[in-house]
Coordinates of all heavy atoms in Angstrom, one line a residue:
D22 N -15.0 -4.9 -18.6 CA -13.7 -5.0 -19.0 C -12.8 -4.7 -17.7 O -12.4 -3.6 -17.5 CB -13.3 -4.0 -20.1 CG -11.8 -4.3 -20.6 OD1 -11.0 -4.9 -20.0 OD2 -11.6 -3.7 -21.7
R23 N -12.6 -5.8 -17.0 CA -11.8 -5.7 -15.7 C -10.3 -5.2 -16.0 O -9.8 -4.4 -15.2 CB -11.7 -7.1 -15.0 CG -11.1 -7.1 -13.8 CD -11.2 -8.4 -13.1 NE -10.7 -8.4 -11.8 CZ -10.1 -9.4 -11.2 NH1 -10.0 -10.6 -11.9 NH2 -9.5 -9.5 -10.1
G24 N -9.8 -5.6 -17.0 CA -8.4 -5.2 -17.3 C -8.4 -3.7 -17.7 O -7.3 -3.0 -17.3
A25 N -9.4 -3.2 -18.3 CA -9.3 -1.7 -18.6 C -9.5 -1.0 -17.2 O -8.8 0.1 -16.9 CB -10.4 -1.4 -19.4
L26 N -10.2 -1.5 -16.3 CA -10.5 -0.9 -15.0 C -9.1 -0.8 -14.2 O -8.7 0.1 -13.5 CB -11.5 -1.5 -14.1 CG -12.9 -1.3 -14.6 CD1 -13.8 -2.2 -13.7 CD2 -13.3 0.3 -14.3
L27 N -8.3 -2.0 -14.3 CA -7.0 -2.2 -13.7 C -6.0 -1.1 -14.4 O -5.2 -0.6 -13.6 CB -6.5 -3.6 -13.7 CG -7.3 -4.5 -12.9 CD1 -6.8 -6.1 -13.1 CD2 -7.1 -4.2 -11.4
D28 N -6.2 -1.0 -15.6 CA -5.2 -0.1 -16.4 C -5.6 1.3 -15.9 O -4.6 2.1 -15.6 CB -5.4 -0.2 -17.7 CG -4.8 -1.4 -18.4 OD1 -4.1 -2.2 -17.8 OD2 -5.3 -1.8 -19.6
L29 N -6.8 1.7 -15.7 CA -7.2 3.0 -15.4 C -6.7 3.3 -13.9 O -6.2 4.4 -13.6 CB -8.7 3.3 -15.4 CG -9.3 3.2 -16.7 CD1 -10.9 3.2 -16.7 CD2 -8.9 4.5 -17.5
A30 N -6.7 2.2 -13.1 CA -6.3 2.3 -11.6 C -4.7 2.6 -11.6 O -4.4 3.4 -10.8 CB -6.8 1.2 -10.9
G31 N -4.1 1.9 -12.6 CA -2.7 2.0 -12.7 C -2.2 3.4 -13.1 O -1.1 3.7 -12.7
A32 N -3.2 4.0 -13.9 CA -2.7 5.3 -14.5 C -3.1 6.5 -13.7 O -2.6 7.7 -14.1 CB -3.3 5.4 -15.9
I33 N -4.0 6.3 -12.7 CA -4.6 7.5 -12.0 C -3.7 8.0 -10.9 O -2.9 7.2 -10.3 CB -6.0 7.1 -11.4 CG1 -6.7 8.3 -11.2 CG2 -5.7 6.2 -10.1 CD1 -8.2 8.1 -10.8
T34 N -3.6 9.2 -10.8 CA -2.8 9.9 -9.7 C -3.7 10.6 -8.7 O -4.6 11.4 -9.2 CB -1.8 10.9 -10.4 OG1 -1.1 10.4 -11.3 CG2 -1.1 11.6 -9.3
V35 N -3.8 10.1 -7.6 CA -4.9 10.4 -6.5 C -4.8 11.9 -6.4 O -5.8 12.6 -6.3 CB -4.7 9.7 -5.3 CG1 -5.6 10.4 -4.2 CG2 -5.1 8.3 -5.4
T36 N -3.6 12.5 -6.4 CA -3.5 14.0 -6.0 C -4.0 14.8 -7.3 O -4.3 16.1 -7.0 CB -2.1 14.4 -5.8 OG1 -1.1 14.1 -6.9 CG2 -1.7 13.7 -4.5
E37 N -4.2 14.2 -8.4 CA -4.7 15.0 -9.7 C -6.0 14.6 -10.1 O -6.7 15.3 -10.8 CB -3.6 14.8 -10.8 CG -2.3 15.3 -10.6 CD -1.3 15.0 -11.6 OE1 -1.7 14.4 -12.7 OE2 0.0 15.2 -11.4

Side-chain angles (χ1 to χ4, degrees):
D22 193 343
R23 184 176 183 214
L26 288 172
L27 291 170
D28 289 344
L29 290 167
I33 201 164
T34 303
V35 170
T36 58
E37 295 173 10

